[in-house]
Amino acid sequence: MARPTRVEITEVGPRDGLQAEPKFVPTELKIKLINDLVDAGVKRMEFSSFVSPRAVPQLADVLEVLNGVDRSKGAVLAALVPNVKGAIRAAEAGVDEMIVFVSASESHNKKNVNRTVDESLAGFAQVAKIAEEAKIPVSAAIATSFGCPFEGNIPAERLGYVAKHFVDFGFKSVALGDTTGMATPPLVTRNVRYLKEHVPSLPIHLHFHNTRGIGLVNVVAGLDEGITHFDSSFGGAGGCPFAPKATGNICTEDLVYLMHEMGIETGIDLAKLMKIANIVEEALEHPLPGQVMKAGPRLDLHSMGDVQTAVG
């Protein structure tokens, strides 16, 4: 299969990138980051979550953020909704899109939302009705799609079982989430091909973490299967607070850089992304794992006068 010539990147930094940070990021800065991302060409992002502020205090200002950002440029501002209560709040707030999430494994779903998988799916039926009445589209995400830190391997059939429910609910897409960076290219190929065969009507997004350093390798495996939608986070920030060793997402600047070097369009300005990532790093007061934000593009040349000449 020929690789796509253009991909769509969903920026998840304002939600996934910040949710586990101990230092609260001021609401005003979150609003600035979202506006700057839109100015950089980001067309869709997870801006926050309607989760309990006790569970994720970093995102307690979801309403203030939504009301403060400039929505005139048409970027899709999506929010995670963990349950019916969250969906009601999101509908009342007027988000552009809701995202529901469930784990492929029972153990992680219990840790994440304290429900069985089937209990979560039953709740999504109600979320779908709320969203339909509010005329808000719903996307879905399956956490631990490539492996669970408690249970190990996840059969592709398990993903199919969950995804078929999403079709019944009328959801617009499914994101396969690599919650703790357990994905490998063979698993990406297996899972994408299985869902394309068994749930062909549901578009697939890929959400990788770089826990073991092969996040962008997995992106290329996805490209080879025709996937055109990927999630990423500014500076590579992020991680699930309810899973061990769930380190950052793949980095938006690194992903955009790779796509452009492969001749694949993103519509996103890399230089602007790098500035945003450095602002985030300064605000969080610890180094972020992004590489391009530090090294710059490969043709970011330097003056010979700035480099010491070897002696001897």
Side-chain angles (χ1 to χ4, degrees):
M1 176 181 292
R3 289 174 178 166
T5 58
R6 184 180 181 89
V7 297
E8 305 236 345
I9 295 174
T10 296
E11 172 61 59
V12 301
R15 195 277 304 174
D16 201 351
L18 302 181
Q19 66 179 1
E21 286 291 332
K23 177 181 171 60
F24 184 79
V25 176
T27 302
E28 295 76 15
L29 180 55
K30 291 174 183 170
I31 293 170
K32 171 180 167 50
L33 292 173
I34 292 170
N35 287 336
D36 287 351
L37 287 163
V38 175
D39 287 340
V42 173
K43 300 298 185 185
R44 180 176 182 264
M45 76 179 79
E46 292 181 13
F47 80 93
S48 194
S49 174
F50 285 87
V51 69
S52 166
R54 294 187 301 276
V56 187
Q58 184 66 253
L59 305 180
D61 57 356
V62 54
L63 291 176
E64 291 86 349
V65 171
L66 183 62
N67 291 331
V69 298
D70 180 3
R71 303 180 70 177
S72 66
K73 297 184 179 179
V76 174
L77 297 182
L80 255 66
V81 294
N83 49 37
V84 172
K85 182 178 178 181
I88 293 172
R89 292 178 62 207
E92 291 174 345
V95 301
D96 297 318
E97 184 178 323
M98 297 185 198
I99 302 175
V100 299
F101 56 95
V102 63
S103 302
S105 69
E106 294 288 351
S107 55
H108 184 263
N109 209 61
K110 289 287 288 184
K111 281 291 183 182
N112 204 24
V113 294
N114 198 27
R115 293 179 178 181
T116 67
V117 170
D118 283 341
E119 285 171 345
S120 286
L121 292 174
F124 294 164
Q126 295 174 272
V127 171
K129 292 179 181 178
I130 293 166
E132 183 179 13
E133 291 174 359
K135 295 182 171 54
I136 297 174
V138 182
S139 297
I142 306 177
T144 63
S145 287
F146 301 94
C148 171
F150 309 114
E151 298 180 22
N153 291 324
I154 298 295
E157 292 80 5
R158 182 66 172 170
L159 304 180
Y161 170 79
V162 174
K164 287 176 181 177
H165 284 79
F166 298 158
V167 175
D168 294 339
F169 298 147
F171 294 166
K172 61 178 289 190
S173 64
V174 58
L176 301 184
D178 184 25
T179 310
T180 59
M182 295 174 72
T184 63
L187 287 176
V188 174
T189 301
R190 183 203 71 175
N191 288 354
V192 170
R193 289 183 180 179
Y194 184 89
L195 287 185
K196 281 189 171 183
E197 179 181 354
H198 292 88
V199 197
S201 63
L202 197 62
I204 301 169
H205 297 199
L206 293 176
H207 177 110
F208 294 124
H209 286 240
N210 201 40
T211 311
R212 291 169 176 81
I214 60 171
L216 292 183
V217 180
N218 291 325
V219 167
V220 175
L223 291 171
D224 287 340
E225 296 303 316
I227 299 300
T228 59
H229 290 77
F230 299 91
D231 294 352
S232 59
S233 173
F234 41 44
C240 174
F242 307 109
K245 298 183 179 179
T247 53
N249 297 261
I250 58 172
C251 173
T252 306
E253 311 86 64
D254 295 357
L255 175 59
V256 169
Y257 171 73
L258 175 63
M259 295 299 97
H260 292 178
E261 288 294 320
M262 294 175 69
I264 298 173
E265 297 179 13
T266 66
I268 300 176
D269 186 313
L270 178 60
K272 291 182 178 180
L273 283 183
M274 292 166 59
K275 291 179 181 178
I276 293 167
N278 281 288
I279 291 172
V280 174
E281 184 175 71
E282 182 178 351
L284 297 180
E285 298 181 349
H286 65 77
L288 291 177
Q291 299 297 305
V292 175
M293 64 182 285
K294 302 178 180 69
R298 67 184 182 89
L299 292 180
D300 185 6
L301 305 182
H302 304 271
S303 169
M304 291 180 62
D306 295 335
V307 181
Q308 183 177 349
T309 302
V311 177

